[in-house]
Amino acid sequence: MNETVMFFDTTLRDGEQAPGYSMTQEEKLRMALQLEALGVDVIEAGFAIASPGDFESVKKIADAIKSSTVCSLSRALEKDIDAAAEAIKSAAKKRIHTFLATSDLHLRYKLKMTRDRALEQIKSMVAYARNKCPEIEFSAEDASRTDPDFLAKAIETAIDSGATIVNLPDTVGYATPEEIAAMVRNVKTRVPNIDKATISMHVHDDLGLAVANTLAGVMAGARQVECTICGIGERAGNAALEEIVMGLRTRKDFYHLSCNIKTEEIGRTARLLSSITGVKLFPSKAIVGKNAFAHESGIHQHGVLNNAETYEIMTPESVGVKKQDLVLGKHSGQHAFEDRLKALGYTTLSEKKITQLFAEFKRLADLKKDISDRDLVALVEAKGISAALDPEKSYQLESFVVNSGNKMTSTASITLRLGEETFQEVAIGTGPVFASIRAIEKLIKHPFSLDDYQIQAVTEHRDALGEVKVIISDSTGTYRGRGVSTDIVEGSILAALSAVNNMLAGSKAALSTGAASTYQHSFEGDMLGGGHTDK
Ligand code: KIV
Ligand code: ZN
């Protein structure tokens, strides 16, 4: 029987920490449900002490997830452990992941702590956590740059105090595969109580070695791997879950190891992450990029037609990546539409929401002949699947007229509806989008600044939908909005309006971390033709 490697996913903690990947609580919950469907053994749902928003999202995930273990990160401090324990209280299976740096560099310059003091801290805090939670993981932060003798001592202390998973992070992505293997062997041979714990790998990708290093750790005896979808994470990111899984599966002849991941869910999970965060999948990304299974060269195509194994080491179906988008059109009925949404992973939409989305789909089908899966995903994401905002209590676009040209000042006239009432405003700006956003700001009488604006075509064709994503902020927080349309000005207005509705609905939809503020603001002068919106 092959041994099993446990998958610990930290997309919602280490991954979400990366600029551009912040998610709202509701988005994190959707991602967690998909991670559970993917079959990950442990979901690191967040860092409960980091902010009230992080605490709430860990708690919501703990309430909802049934088959995966839900974990919260905590420093080796009582207040962190208390927050983690409280946030995961309701989970069916739970774990506290507590960490302390062990390298001399971190001890001296970051923690200002001696080695002896660090051992005491590990001992008391792991024991403290163990009193609050049945399963404890201890991480020796910066393990790969820690003196091997001291690392062994720290790990022994953690296991003695109740940790049953011991993680050896290459926090700064510095180690080579040979060094990682040696570190794992060192811990296996020098830690007397290591048989009471599982060794875990947590590797960053600063030198592009995260997956290779993780697999080297596994070969040396680690049986838990910490990773993120598409390798998102601090700086250059973490090890990519899909690459480790498919490495183990495709080269089972070499690794002789199993895992619980349902590989057919990989594509869906990566697409969900991309559609939630708005960060497109890199076309050449291994396993899930759009070119990962494309064969352009004639010689390759010829080989694949004769026998796919000539140039394909795994099938697109095995990772849930379809070669062809399915297409719906204006004659498609609500059943076909609903079936397609389900196949795309939207399984929890209410009847009311599906009917609303179907009306939008019909409107779109009148403008655009073929509606592909990617169009559908963009439509659903832009309309919001949570029904968090009541359409009767939020602003809807009634109509707009813009006038724009290279020898004139752009003007926008916008009419919005709120319940039964309609309101109209006109504004000028140095571009049609800028003028429209100004008109919206005048209409709602609530100043905000536009922190990010992105536009991209959903598909490649001339009649492609334009998908617009904006981030706005006011004194209460940062809010995201999306809009899709075949008309990019309409898409921009819809995106701004959805962000405005989130903002007016209050802090509920605020991003839980401040990461959005790290976005570059450079577009404002160029794309919208102006500086900050006037207040
Ligand atoms: O990279 C790292 O060392 C971490 C720890 C908190 C596990 O993320
Ligand atoms: Zn990390």
Coordinates of all heavy atoms in Angstrom, one line a residue, residues 112-200:
K112 N 14.5 39.2 19.2 CA 15.4 39.6 20.3 C 15.3 38.6 21.4 O 14.9 39.0 22.6 CB 15.1 41.1 20.7 CG 15.2 42.0 19.5 CD 15.3 43.5 20.0 CE 15.2 44.4 18.8 NZ 15.4 44.0 17.5
M113 N 15.6 37.4 21.1 CA 15.4 36.3 22.1 C 16.6 35.4 22.0 O 17.1 35.1 20.9 CB 14.1 35.5 21.5 CG 13.3 34.9 22.6 SD 12.0 34.0 21.7 CE 10.6 34.9 22.2
T114 N 16.9 34.8 23.1 CA 18.0 33.8 23.1 C 17.4 32.4 22.6 O 16.2 32.2 22.7 CB 18.6 33.6 24.5 OG1 17.6 33.1 25.3 CG2 19.2 34.9 25.0
R115 N 18.3 31.5 22.3 CA 17.8 30.2 21.9 C 17.1 29.5 23.1 O 16.0 28.9 22.9 CB 19.0 29.3 21.5 CG 19.6 29.6 20.2 CD 20.6 28.6 19.8 NE 21.2 28.8 18.5 CZ 22.1 28.0 17.9 NH1 22.4 26.9 18.6 NH2 22.6 28.2 16.8
D116 N 17.6 29.7 24.3 CA 17.0 29.0 25.5 C 15.6 29.6 25.7 O 14.6 28.9 26.0 CB 17.8 29.3 26.7 CG 19.0 28.3 26.8 OD1 19.0 27.4 25.9 OD2 19.9 28.6 27.6
R117 N 15.5 30.9 25.5 CA 14.2 31.6 25.7 C 13.2 31.1 24.6 O 12.0 30.8 24.9 CB 14.4 33.1 25.6 CG 13.2 33.9 25.7 CD 12.7 34.0 27.2 NE 11.3 34.5 27.3 CZ 10.3 33.7 27.2 NH1 10.4 32.4 27.2 NH2 9.0 34.2 27.3
A118 N 13.7 30.9 23.4 CA 12.8 30.4 22.3 C 12.3 29.0 22.7 O 11.1 28.7 22.5 CB 13.6 30.3 21.0
L119 N 13.2 28.1 23.2 CA 12.7 26.8 23.6 C 11.6 26.8 24.7 O 10.7 26.1 24.6 CB 13.9 25.9 24.1 CG 14.9 25.5 23.0 CD1 16.1 24.7 23.6 CD2 14.3 24.8 21.8
E120 N 11.8 27.7 25.6 CA 10.8 27.9 26.7 C 9.5 28.3 26.1 O 8.4 27.8 26.5 CB 11.3 29.0 27.7 CG 12.2 28.4 28.8 CD 12.9 29.6 29.5 OE1 12.2 30.7 29.7 OE2 14.0 29.4 29.9
Q121 N 9.6 29.3 25.2 CA 8.4 29.8 24.5 C 7.6 28.7 23.7 O 6.4 28.6 23.8 CB 8.8 30.9 23.5 CG 7.6 31.7 22.9 CD 7.3 32.9 23.7 OE1 7.8 33.1 24.8 NE2 6.3 33.7 23.2
I122 N 8.4 27.9 23.0 CA 7.8 26.8 22.2 C 7.1 25.8 23.2 O 6.0 25.4 23.0 CB 8.9 26.0 21.4 CG1 9.5 26.9 20.3 CG2 8.3 24.7 20.8 CD1 10.7 26.4 19.6
K123 N 7.8 25.5 24.3 CA 7.3 24.5 25.3 C 6.0 25.1 25.8 O 4.9 24.4 25.8 CB 8.3 24.3 26.4 CG 8.0 23.3 27.4 CD 9.1 23.0 28.3 CE 8.7 22.1 29.4 NZ 9.4 22.1 30.6
S124 N 6.0 26.3 26.3 CA 4.8 26.8 27.0 C 3.7 27.0 26.1 O 2.5 26.7 26.3 CB 5.1 28.0 27.9 OG 5.6 29.0 27.1
M125 N 4.0 27.6 24.9 CA 2.9 27.9 24.0 C 2.3 26.7 23.2 O 1.1 26.7 23.0 CB 3.4 29.0 23.0 CG 3.5 30.4 23.6 SD 2.0 31.0 24.4 CE 2.4 30.8 26.1
V126 N 3.1 25.8 22.9 CA 2.5 24.6 22.3 C 1.6 23.9 23.3 O 0.5 23.5 23.0 CB 3.6 23.6 21.7 CG1 3.0 22.3 21.3 CG2 4.3 24.3 20.5
A127 N 2.1 23.8 24.6 CA 1.3 23.2 25.6 C 0.0 24.0 25.8 O -1.1 23.4 26.0 CB 2.1 23.1 26.9
Y128 N 0.1 25.3 25.8 CA -1.1 26.2 26.0 C -2.1 25.9 24.9 O -3.3 25.8 25.1 CB -0.6 27.6 26.0 CG -1.7 28.6 26.2 CD1 -2.2 28.9 27.5 CD2 -2.3 29.4 25.2 CE1 -3.2 29.8 27.8 CE2 -3.3 30.3 25.4 CZ -3.7 30.5 26.7 OH -4.7 31.4 27.0
A129 N -1.6 25.8 23.6 CA -2.5 25.6 22.5 C -3.1 24.2 22.6 O -4.3 24.0 22.3 CB -1.7 25.7 21.2
R130 N -2.3 23.2 23.0 CA -2.8 21.8 23.1 C -4.0 21.7 24.1 O -4.9 20.9 23.9 CB -1.7 20.9 23.5 CG -2.0 19.5 23.6 CD -2.5 18.9 22.3 NE -3.0 17.5 22.5 CZ -4.3 17.3 22.9 NH1 -5.1 18.3 23.1 NH2 -4.7 16.1 23.0
N131 N -4.0 22.6 25.1 CA -5.1 22.6 26.1 C -6.4 23.1 25.4 O -7.4 22.9 26.0 CB -4.7 23.6 27.2 CG -4.2 22.8 28.4 OD1 -4.6 21.6 28.6 ND2 -3.3 23.3 29.2
K132 N -6.2 23.9 24.3 CA -7.4 24.5 23.7 C -7.9 23.8 22.5 O -8.9 24.1 22.0 CB -7.1 26.0 23.3 CG -6.6 26.8 24.5 CD -6.9 28.2 24.3 CE -6.9 28.9 25.7 NZ -8.0 29.9 25.8
C133 N -7.0 22.9 21.9 CA -7.4 22.3 20.6 C -6.7 20.9 20.6 O -5.6 20.8 21.0 CB -6.9 23.2 19.5 SG -7.2 22.6 17.9
P134 N -7.5 19.9 20.0 CA -6.9 18.6 20.0 C -5.7 18.4 19.1 O -5.0 17.4 19.3 CB -8.1 17.7 19.6 CG -9.1 18.6 19.0 CD -8.8 20.0 19.6
E135 N -5.6 19.2 18.1 CA -4.5 19.0 17.1 C -3.7 20.3 16.9 O -4.2 21.3 16.6 CB -5.1 18.6 15.7 CG -4.1 18.1 14.8 CD -4.8 17.5 13.5 OE1 -5.1 18.2 12.6 OE2 -4.9 16.3 13.5
I136 N -2.4 20.1 17.2 CA -1.5 21.3 17.1 C -0.4 21.0 16.1 O 0.3 20.0 16.1 CB -0.8 21.6 18.5 CG1 -1.9 21.7 19.6 CG2 0.1 22.8 18.4 CD1 -2.9 22.8 19.3
E137 N -0.2 22.0 15.3 CA 1.0 22.0 14.3 C 1.9 23.1 14.8 O 1.5 24.2 15.1 CB 0.5 22.3 12.9 CG 1.7 22.6 12.0 CD 1.3 22.7 10.5 OE1 0.2 22.1 10.1 OE2 2.1 23.2 9.7
F138 N 3.2 22.8 14.9 CA 4.2 23.8 15.2 C 5.1 24.0 14.0 O 5.6 23.0 13.4 CB 5.1 23.3 16.4 CG 6.2 24.3 16.6 CD1 6.0 25.6 17.1 CD2 7.5 23.9 16.3 CE1 7.1 26.5 17.3 CE2 8.6 24.8 16.4 CZ 8.4 26.1 16.9
S139 N 5.4 25.3 13.7 CA 6.3 25.6 12.6 C 7.5 26.3 13.2 O 7.4 27.3 13.9 CB 5.6 26.6 11.6 OG 4.8 25.9 10.8
A140 N 8.7 25.8 12.8 CA 9.9 26.5 13.1 C 10.3 27.4 12.0 O 10.9 27.1 11.0 CB 11.0 25.4 13.3
E141 N 9.8 28.7 12.1 CA 9.9 29.6 11.0 C 11.4 29.8 10.6 O 12.3 29.8 11.5 CB 9.3 31.0 11.4 CG 9.2 31.9 10.2 CD 8.8 33.3 10.6 OE1 8.8 33.6 11.8 OE2 8.6 34.2 9.7
D142 N 11.7 29.9 9.4 CA 13.1 30.0 8.8 C 13.9 28.7 9.2 O 15.1 28.8 9.4 CB 13.7 31.3 9.4 CG 14.8 31.8 8.4 OD1 14.8 31.4 7.3 OD2 15.7 32.6 8.9
A143 N 13.2 27.6 9.2 CA 13.9 26.3 9.6 C 15.1 26.1 8.7 O 16.2 25.6 9.2 CB 12.9 25.2 9.5
S144 N 15.0 26.4 7.4 CA 16.1 26.0 6.5 C 17.3 26.8 6.8 O 18.4 26.5 6.3 CB 15.6 26.3 5.0 OG 15.2 27.6 4.9
R145 N 17.3 27.9 7.5 CA 18.5 28.7 7.9 C 18.8 28.6 9.4 O 19.5 29.4 10.0 CB 18.3 30.2 7.5 CG 18.3 30.3 5.9 CD 18.4 31.8 5.5 NE 17.3 32.6 6.0 CZ 17.2 33.9 6.0 NH1 18.2 34.6 5.4 NH2 16.2 34.6 6.5
T146 N 18.2 27.5 10.0 CA 18.4 27.3 11.4 C 19.5 26.3 11.6 O 19.6 25.3 10.9 CB 17.1 26.8 12.0 OG1 16.1 27.8 11.9 CG2 17.2 26.5 13.5
D147 N 20.3 26.5 12.7 CA 21.4 25.5 13.0 C 20.7 24.1 13.2 O 19.7 24.0 14.0 CB 22.0 26.0 14.3 CG 22.9 24.9 14.9 OD1 23.8 24.4 14.2 OD2 22.7 24.5 16.0
P148 N 21.2 23.1 12.5 CA 20.5 21.8 12.5 C 20.3 21.2 13.9 O 19.3 20.6 14.3 CB 21.4 20.9 11.7 CG 22.2 21.8 10.8 CD 22.3 23.1 11.5
D149 N 21.3 21.4 14.8 CA 21.2 20.9 16.2 C 20.1 21.6 16.9 O 19.3 21.0 17.6 CB 22.5 21.2 17.0 CG 23.6 20.2 16.6 OD1 23.3 19.1 16.1 OD2 24.8 20.6 16.7
F150 N 20.0 23.0 16.7 CA 19.0 23.7 17.4 C 17.6 23.4 16.9 O 16.6 23.3 17.6 CB 19.3 25.2 17.4 CG 18.3 26.0 18.2 CD1 18.1 25.8 19.6 CD2 17.4 26.9 17.6 CE1 17.2 26.5 20.3 CE2 16.5 27.6 18.3 CZ 16.3 27.4 19.7
L151 N 17.6 23.2 15.5 CA 16.3 22.9 14.9 C 15.8 21.6 15.5 O 14.6 21.4 15.9 CB 16.4 22.7 13.4 CG 15.2 22.4 12.6 CD1 14.1 23.5 12.8 CD2 15.5 22.2 11.1
A152 N 16.6 20.6 15.7 CA 16.2 19.3 16.2 C 15.7 19.5 17.6 O 14.7 18.9 18.0 CB 17.4 18.3 16.2
K153 N 16.4 20.3 18.4 CA 16.0 20.6 19.8 C 14.6 21.2 19.8 O 13.7 20.8 20.6 CB 17.0 21.5 20.4 CG 17.1 21.5 21.9 CD 17.9 20.4 22.5 CE 17.3 20.0 23.9 NZ 16.7 18.7 24.0
A154 N 14.4 22.2 19.0 CA 13.1 22.9 18.9 C 12.0 22.0 18.5 O 10.9 22.0 19.1 CB 13.2 24.1 17.9
I155 N 12.2 21.1 17.6 CA 11.2 20.2 17.1 C 10.9 19.2 18.2 O 9.7 18.9 18.5 CB 11.6 19.5 15.8 CG1 11.8 20.5 14.7 CG2 10.7 18.4 15.4 CD1 10.5 21.3 14.3
E156 N 11.9 18.7 18.9 CA 11.7 17.7 20.0 C 10.9 18.4 21.1 O 9.9 17.8 21.6 CB 13.1 17.3 20.6 CG 13.0 16.3 21.7 CD 14.3 16.0 22.3 OE1 15.4 16.3 21.8 OE2 14.3 15.4 23.4
T157 N 11.2 19.6 21.4 CA 10.4 20.4 22.5 C 9.0 20.5 22.0 O 8.0 20.3 22.9 CB 11.0 21.8 22.7 OG1 12.4 21.6 22.9 CG2 10.4 22.5 23.8
A158 N 8.7 20.8 20.8 CA 7.3 21.0 20.3 C 6.6 19.7 20.4 O 5.4 19.7 20.9 CB 7.3 21.6 18.9
I159 N 7.2 18.6 20.0 CA 6.5 17.3 20.1 C 6.2 16.9 21.5 O 5.1 16.5 21.9 CB 7.3 16.3 19.3 CG1 7.4 16.6 17.8 CG2 6.6 14.9 19.4 CD1 8.4 15.7 17.0
D160 N 7.2 17.1 22.4 CA 7.1 16.8 23.8 C 5.9 17.6 24.4 O 5.2 17.1 25.3 CB 8.3 17.2 24.6 CG 9.2 16.0 24.9 OD1 8.6 14.9 24.7 OD2 10.3 16.2 25.3
S161 N 5.7 18.8 23.9 CA 4.6 19.7 24.5 C 3.3 19.5 23.8 O 2.3 20.1 24.2 CB 5.0 21.2 24.3 OG 6.4 21.3 24.7
G162 N 3.2 18.6 22.8 CA 1.9 18.2 22.3 C 1.7 18.4 20.8 O 0.6 18.2 20.3
A163 N 2.7 18.9 20.1 CA 2.5 19.0 18.6 C 2.6 17.7 17.9 O 3.4 16.9 18.2 CB 3.6 20.0 18.0
T164 N 1.6 17.5 17.0 CA 1.7 16.2 16.2 C 2.0 16.4 14.8 O 2.1 15.5 14.0 CB 0.4 15.4 16.4 OG1 -0.7 16.3 16.0 CG2 0.2 14.8 17.8
I165 N 2.1 17.7 14.4 CA 2.6 18.0 13.0 C 3.7 19.0 13.2 O 3.5 20.0 13.9 CB 1.5 18.6 12.1 CG1 0.3 17.6 12.1 CG2 2.0 18.9 10.7 CD1 -0.8 18.0 13.0
V166 N 4.9 18.8 12.6 CA 6.0 19.7 12.8 C 6.4 20.2 11.4 O 6.7 19.4 10.5 CB 7.2 19.1 13.6 CG1 6.8 19.0 15.0 CG2 7.6 17.8 13.1
N167 N 6.4 21.5 11.2 CA 6.6 22.0 9.9 C 8.0 22.7 9.8 O 8.4 23.3 10.7 CB 5.5 23.1 9.7 CG 5.4 23.7 8.3 OD1 5.8 23.0 7.3 ND2 5.1 24.9 8.2
L168 N 8.6 22.4 8.7 CA 10.0 22.9 8.5 C 10.0 23.9 7.3 O 10.4 23.6 6.2 CB 10.9 21.7 8.2 CG 10.9 20.6 9.2 CD1 11.8 19.4 8.7 CD2 11.3 21.0 10.6
P169 N 9.6 25.2 7.6 CA 9.5 26.1 6.4 C 10.9 26.6 5.9 O 11.8 26.8 6.6 CB 8.8 27.3 7.0 CG 8.2 26.9 8.3 CD 9.2 25.8 8.8
D170 N 10.9 26.7 4.6 CA 11.9 27.4 3.9 C 11.3 28.8 3.6 O 10.8 29.1 2.5 CB 12.3 26.7 2.6 CG 13.4 27.5 1.9 OD1 14.2 28.2 2.5 OD2 13.5 27.3 0.6
T171 N 11.2 29.6 4.7 CA 10.5 30.8 4.7 C 10.9 31.8 3.6 O 10.0 32.5 3.1 CB 10.6 31.5 6.1 OG1 10.2 30.5 7.1 CG2 9.8 32.8 6.3
V172 N 12.1 31.9 3.3 CA 12.6 32.9 2.4 C 13.0 32.3 1.0 O 13.6 32.9 0.2 CB 13.8 33.7 2.9 CG1 13.3 34.6 4.0 CG2 14.9 32.8 3.4
G173 N 12.6 31.0 0.8 CA 12.8 30.4 -0.5 C 14.3 30.3 -0.9 O 14.7 30.6 -2.0
Y174 N 15.1 30.0 0.1 CA 16.6 30.1 -0.1 C 17.3 28.7 -0.3 O 18.3 28.6 -1.0 CB 17.1 30.7 1.2 CG 18.6 30.8 1.3 CD1 19.3 31.8 0.6 CD2 19.4 30.0 2.1 CE1 20.7 31.9 0.7 CE2 20.7 30.1 2.2 CZ 21.4 31.1 1.5 OH 22.8 31.2 1.6
A175 N 16.6 27.6 0.1 CA 17.3 26.3 0.1 C 17.3 25.7 -1.2 O 16.5 26.0 -2.1 CB 16.6 25.4 1.2
T176 N 18.2 24.7 -1.4 CA 18.2 23.9 -2.6 C 17.5 22.5 -2.3 O 17.4 22.2 -1.1 CB 19.6 23.6 -3.0 OG1 20.2 22.8 -2.0 CG2 20.4 24.8 -3.2
P177 N 17.1 21.8 -3.3 CA 16.4 20.5 -3.0 C 17.3 19.6 -2.1 O 16.8 18.9 -1.2 CB 16.2 19.9 -4.4 CG 16.1 21.1 -5.3 CD 17.0 22.1 -4.7
E178 N 18.6 19.6 -2.3 CA 19.5 18.7 -1.6 C 19.5 19.1 -0.1 O 19.5 18.3 0.8 CB 20.9 18.7 -2.1 CG 21.1 18.1 -3.5 CD 20.6 18.9 -4.6 OE1 20.3 20.1 -4.5 OE2 20.4 18.3 -5.7
E179 N 19.5 20.5 0.1 CA 19.5 21.0 1.5 C 18.2 20.7 2.2 O 18.2 20.4 3.4 CB 19.8 22.5 1.5 CG 21.2 22.8 1.2 CD 21.4 24.3 0.9 OE1 20.5 25.0 0.5 OE2 22.6 24.8 1.0
I180 N 17.1 20.8 1.5 CA 15.8 20.5 2.1 C 15.8 19.0 2.5 O 15.4 18.6 3.6 CB 14.7 20.7 1.1 CG1 14.5 22.3 0.8 CG2 13.3 20.1 1.6 CD1 13.9 23.1 1.9
A181 N 16.2 18.1 1.6 CA 16.3 16.7 2.0 C 17.1 16.4 3.2 O 16.8 15.7 4.1 CB 16.7 15.9 0.8
A182 N 18.3 17.1 3.2 CA 19.2 16.9 4.4 C 18.5 17.4 5.7 O 18.7 16.8 6.7 CB 20.5 17.7 4.1
M183 N 17.8 18.5 5.6 CA 17.1 19.0 6.8 C 16.1 18.0 7.3 O 16.0 17.8 8.5 CB 16.4 20.4 6.4 CG 15.6 20.9 7.5 SD 15.0 22.6 7.2 CE 13.8 22.3 5.9
V184 N 15.3 17.4 6.4 CA 14.3 16.5 6.8 C 15.0 15.2 7.4 O 14.6 14.8 8.5 CB 13.4 16.1 5.6 CG1 12.4 15.0 6.0 CG2 12.6 17.3 5.2
R185 N 16.1 14.8 6.8 CA 16.8 13.6 7.3 C 17.3 13.9 8.7 O 17.3 13.1 9.6 CB 17.9 13.2 6.3 CG 17.3 12.4 5.1 CD 18.5 11.7 4.4 NE 19.4 12.6 3.9 CZ 19.4 13.1 2.6 NH1 18.4 12.7 1.8 NH2 20.3 13.9 2.2
N186 N 17.9 15.1 8.9 CA 18.4 15.5 10.1 C 17.3 15.4 11.2 O 17.6 14.9 12.3 CB 18.9 17.0 10.0 CG 19.3 17.6 11.4 OD1 20.1 17.1 12.1 ND2 18.6 18.7 11.7
V187 N 16.1 16.0 10.9 CA 15.1 15.9 11.9 C 14.6 14.5 12.2 O 14.4 14.1 13.3 CB 13.9 16.8 11.4 CG1 12.6 16.6 12.2 CG2 14.3 18.3 11.5
K188 N 14.6 13.7 11.1 CA 14.2 12.3 11.3 C 15.1 11.5 12.2 O 14.8 10.6 12.9 CB 14.0 11.6 9.9 CG 12.7 11.9 9.3 CD 12.5 11.1 8.0 CE 12.2 9.6 8.3 NZ 12.0 8.9 7.0
T189 N 16.4 11.8 12.0 CA 17.4 11.0 12.7 C 17.7 11.6 14.1 O 18.1 10.8 15.0 CB 18.7 10.8 11.9 OG1 19.1 12.1 11.5 CG2 18.5 9.9 10.7
R190 N 17.7 12.9 14.2 CA 18.2 13.5 15.5 C 17.1 13.8 16.5 O 17.4 14.1 17.7 CB 18.9 14.7 15.2 CG 20.3 14.4 14.7 CD 21.3 15.5 15.0 NE 22.0 15.9 13.9 CZ 22.7 17.0 13.8 NH1 22.8 17.8 14.7 NH2 23.4 17.2 12.6
V191 N 15.8 13.7 16.1 CA 14.7 14.1 17.0 C 14.2 12.8 17.6 O 13.6 12.0 16.9 CB 13.6 14.9 16.3 CG1 12.4 15.1 17.2 CG2 14.2 16.2 15.8
P192 N 14.4 12.5 18.9 CA 14.1 11.1 19.4 C 12.6 10.8 19.4 O 12.3 9.6 19.2 CB 14.6 11.2 20.8 CG 15.0 12.6 21.1 CD 15.1 13.4 19.8
N193 N 11.7 11.8 19.5 CA 10.3 11.5 19.6 C 9.6 11.8 18.2 O 8.4 11.9 18.1 CB 9.6 12.4 20.7 CG 10.0 13.9 20.5 OD1 10.7 14.3 19.6 ND2 9.5 14.7 21.5
I194 N 10.4 11.8 17.1 CA 9.8 12.2 15.8 C 8.7 11.2 15.3 O 7.8 11.5 14.5 CB 10.9 12.4 14.7 CG1 10.3 13.1 13.5 CG2 11.5 11.0 14.3 CD1 9.9 14.5 13.7
D195 N 8.7 10.0 15.9 CA 7.7 9.0 15.5 C 6.3 9.4 16.0 O 5.3 8.9 15.5 CB 8.1 7.6 16.1 CG 8.2 7.7 17.6 OD1 8.9 8.6 18.1 OD2 7.6 6.8 18.3
K196 N 6.2 10.4 16.8 CA 4.9 10.9 17.3 C 4.4 12.0 16.5 O 3.3 12.6 16.8 CB 5.0 11.3 18.8 CG 5.5 10.3 19.8 CD 5.2 10.7 21.2 CE 5.6 9.7 22.2 NZ 7.0 9.4 22.3
A197 N 5.1 12.4 15.4 CA 4.6 13.5 14.6 C 4.8 13.3 13.1 O 5.6 12.4 12.7 CB 5.4 14.8 15.1
T198 N 4.1 14.1 12.4 CA 4.2 14.1 10.9 C 5.1 15.3 10.5 O 4.8 16.4 11.0 CB 2.8 14.3 10.3 OG1 2.0 13.2 10.7 CG2 2.9 14.3 8.8
I199 N 6.0 15.1 9.7 CA 6.9 16.2 9.2 C 6.2 16.9 8.0 O 5.6 16.2 7.1 CB 8.3 15.7 8.8 CG1 9.0 15.0 10.0 CG2 9.1 16.8 8.2 CD1 10.3 14.4 9.6
S200 N 6.2 18.2 8.1 CA 5.5 19.0 7.0 C 6.5 19.9 6.3 O 7.5 20.4 6.9 CB 4.4 19.8 7.7 OG 3.8 20.7 6.8

